Each structure stands twice: as C-alpha cells, then as structure tokens.
Amino acid sequence: MRDILPGLQARCAAGTPFALATVVAVHGSAPRDPGAVMAVDGAGSVLGSVSGGCVEGDVYEVAREVLAGAGPRVVSYGISDDEAFGVGLTCGGTIEVLVRAYVSQAELADLAALLDLIAADRPVAEATVLSGTAETGARLVVRPTSSPGTLGDLGTPGTLGAEGLDAAVTDDARGMLAQGLTGIQRYGAHGQRRMQEVAVFVRTYAPPPRMIVFGAIDHAAATARIGSFLGYRVTVCDARPAFATRERFPTADEVVRAWPHDYLEATEVDARTVICVLTHDPKFDVPLLVAALRTPAAYIGVMGSRRTHSDRLARLREAGVDEEALARLASPVGLDLGARTPEETAVSIAAEIIQHRWGGTGRPLGELTGAIHRDR
C-alpha cells in the first residue's frame, strides 16, 4: 500500500472511483506477500502490482467488472501451464486476491482517512470480510486505542455486520497491530472464537521499523541509504558535529549529534528495531553495546575485525555483560560476500538483516532445494 499511497490519495481527493485488488493469502512460493495491492480506475489506469506481472492481466479484468458494479470478489490463482500462462503463477504457488470498489464519495472519504493515517505513520488496521455469513467486502478500521464505532474526526470505522464480530475482530486486530502481523482470521457469525463461519482479512499498518546507525563514516552513509530503500526509518548518530551533518546523510530521516549510548538510552527501541554499530572505537562501542544489549532490538550488528571483536567481547565481559547477551551480537557485521567498498559492505549488512528477519540460510539458492519463499 505504501508504495502507491500518493496515487491512491490523489484519486480519493479527486473523487475518482477505482477498484482495489489486495493479496489476502499466499500458499507456497509467490512473488508478493499478503497486503500487496493494485488499483484500477475507470480510465483504465493501473497502480501497483499483486504478482509482479503473472496475473495482473486477469486481475485488471476482474477489477473492471467490480468497478462496473459486479460486487466485491475473492479470486484465486494457482500454478500456470502452457494453456493458461496468462492467468497463473509461474513460481508454483497460489495467491488469493480480494477485489473491491470504492465508488461513492463516502467510501472514498473513509478510505482517504485510512490513507492519511498510513501516510502519517500512525498505527492502524483494516479488517475486511472475505467470505462466510457476513457480507463480502464489509470493512472495519481499528486504531490501537479506539473502540468499535469510533474513529474520531478521521472518518467512520465501518462495521462487519454484527456487534460481536466487530468486537472480536477489533481485539484481534489490535494484537496483530502490536506485532506487525497481517493475515486471515476466522470467526463465528457473532465473533465466536474457534469457528469458521466468517473469514476476515486483517491488514495492519504499523509505523516503519527503525534502523539506528552509529558512527558517521562512509559505511554509515551507504548503510543509511540501503536502510531507507528497505523501508526503515533511519537515524544516524555520532557525537562529532563535523561528521554528523545532514549534508553527509541526505537519505537519513534524522541525524543526531549525541554520545551514542546517551542517545540510545533515551530513544525508543522495539523488537523490530535494527542497530548498526559502525564506530569500532572502544570509548563509543562498549557503553553503547551495554545499552543496546538491554533493549529488545531485533538485530545488533557491530563493525570491526575479528581481533577487534575479540577485544570488544573482553571489555564487555568486564562491564558485566553475560554470554547469553553477547551471543546476540552480529560481529563482524554482515554476510560473507567478499565486500570491499562501503556500498558493498552495506549490501552485506542488509543481507544479514534480511536473513536474520526471515530465517534464511545465507547460501546460494542454486545450492538448495524446496520452496524459495519460506512460510509467511
């Protein structure tokens, strides 16, 4: 959604009706994850993608039908063959796509309110009925502190058709939002748990995860660029005013001049945050890493040679850090790609962050067998 957000906002502001196709489920290998979207308006203009090109042609036709009044639909696409190449996936997986239209001014206004929240990086979830006894396409917007039926002055939250269902979905959506999860939940007609009468797709929009880069060096500039490319909100921190400048880090969301450990202890770090320590100077590293290892950060990568890392571990042990905590450090930072330049090193660091997040092996895919995309 974020990648086509400006285009969607422009259509809502102009009152231009359009159909929105959303990937709601993925089974096996598939090009896009649940939540990927494609929009089609009455003029035939297309934004976004649901499969990287495999099934867009058929989704386009379905979207045109839905926009013409056919009603919301869930369509499935499996493996393609020689006779149906245009409407199947070449990767062997299966995707399910919800296609629904936003036509009336009320619908466009409510969607615009959701898009404004997403653009402002405010956490929000959208629940949509896929099938069952509730109406397909019925929609409910959930805020972390809102209740069913309230969304302040930012639009109407909608309803899934039953008070109990709204309450159950609201509760579950808040839990999924806190964990950054998106997926299908199933309920009874009135929200009963462990029942299968209603399938609801819950799409969460949490603020982007943070990447905090310490050390205003050339490697940090390259790491900040690739962090932004991967969708992180990037902060670069260094105590030296001559180095921590906006001119040196134009792609970072913020550049902070402060002692690294002081800044880390004062800023928000959650379980999605990645920390890259590129200072390789003991007077910065040791107090910074002591503070970092107290946080729930998802990844703590530290630059330096093996000799530097060995010396760093000894200093951290002297500072009272235990072995379990030390095992969290990714050092020397990055995967073994043979990197030489700052840009190549940044790719190596990014590769390790991705591997850590999704549990990849780090080995060439050509040496492996089985599904390329792991269970989402």
Side-chain angles (χ1 to χ4, degrees):
M1 180 76 83
R2 292 182 188 275
D3 55 344
I4 62 171
L5 194 58
L8 295 180
Q9 288 179 302
R11 282 160 174 75
C12 288
T16 303
F18 60 90
L20 194 64
T22 305
V23 177
V24 296
V26 170
H27 310 283
S29 295
R32 303 293 303 272
D33 285 332
V37 297
M38 184 178 93
V40 179
D41 64 25
S45 298
V46 177
L47 291 175
S49 169
V50 293
S51 75
C54 297
V55 301
E56 267 69 7
D58 192 73
V59 173
Y60 175 86
E61 296 301 331
V62 174
R64 298 275 287 187
E65 293 172 6
V66 170
L67 191 55
R73 293 171 54 188
V74 177
V75 289
S76 297
Y77 299 95
I79 188 170
S80 66
D81 55 34
D82 291 339
E83 295 181 356
F85 184 82
V87 292
L89 300 174
T90 59
C91 51
T94 301
I95 63 172
E96 297 178 37
V97 180
L98 167 69
V99 186
R100 62 155 298 167
Y102 294 87
V103 176
S104 72
Q105 293 305 303
E107 290 173 330
L108 290 168
D110 286 341
L111 180 60
L114 172 65
L115 298 177
D116 288 344
L117 292 173
I118 298 169
D121 288 336
R122 296 171 66 180
V124 64
E126 181 185 30
T128 308
V129 173
L130 301 181
S131 63
T133 54
E135 180 184 354
T136 299
R139 174 175 170 269
L140 175 71
V141 174
V142 178
R143 298 283 305 282
T145 57
S146 67
S147 300
T150 64
L151 194 58
D153 58 356
L154 295 170
T156 56
T159 178
L160 304 184
E163 183 177 349
L165 183 59
D166 285 352
V169 171
T170 295
D171 186 50
D172 289 346
R174 285 178 179 160
M176 295 173 70
L177 185 58
Q179 300 177 68
L181 300 177
T182 286
I184 296 175
Q185 302 291 315
R186 300 183 187 278
Y187 305 88
H190 299 282
Q192 303 96 319
R193 298 298 202 283
R194 296 184 296 277
M195 297 186 70
Q196 305 290 315
E197 293 178 57
V198 182
V200 179
F201 177 64
V202 179
R203 175 68 167 104
T204 63
Y205 301 93
R210 298 190 66 191
M211 171 184 281
I212 309 177
V213 182
F214 292 99
I217 62 176
D218 289 347
H219 289 81
T223 301
R225 288 196 297 272
I226 202 166
S228 296
F229 176 76
L230 292 176
Y232 287 93
R233 183 177 183 274
V234 179
T235 298
V236 176
C237 176
D238 196 295
R240 301 167 295 177
F243 292 90
T245 65
R246 171 56 62 186
E247 291 75 18
R248 286 171 54 82
F249 300 95
T251 64
D253 294 281
E254 59 179 351
V255 179
V256 177
R257 299 171 185 173
W259 280 86
H261 69 281
D262 288 340
Y263 173 74
L264 188 61
E265 289 173 346
T267 195
E268 181 180 355
V269 175
D270 62 22
R272 300 189 301 153
T273 302
V274 300
I275 297 173
C276 300
V277 179
L278 309 183
T279 51
H280 54 79
D281 183 331
K283 70 176 178 289
F284 292 115
D285 286 2
V286 173
L288 172 58
L289 291 174
V290 169
L293 289 169
R294 292 178 183 145
T295 73
Y299 171 89
I300 306 172
V302 194
M303 178 172 280
S305 66
R306 298 189 191 282
R307 179 177 178 179
T308 298
H309 179 56
S310 180
D311 175 72
R312 183 188 294 125
L313 289 177
R315 292 172 184 267
L316 289 170
R317 291 187 181 103
E318 290 176 3
V321 180
D322 62 33
E323 297 302 314
E324 182 178 0
L326 292 176
R328 294 178 60 198
L329 298 178
S331 181
V333 68
L335 296 186
D336 179 18
L337 304 181
R340 292 292 185 270
T341 67
E343 290 74 18
E344 290 175 346
T345 302
V347 171
S348 168
I349 293 170
E352 185 173 49
I353 290 171
I354 295 168
Q355 179 205 23
H356 186 84
R357 179 181 181 184
W358 297 111
T361 66
R363 294 172 55 195
L365 288 171
E367 295 179 359
L368 304 175
T369 59
I372 293 175
H373 298 101
R374 292 168 177 262
D375 185 1
R376 289 161 167 82

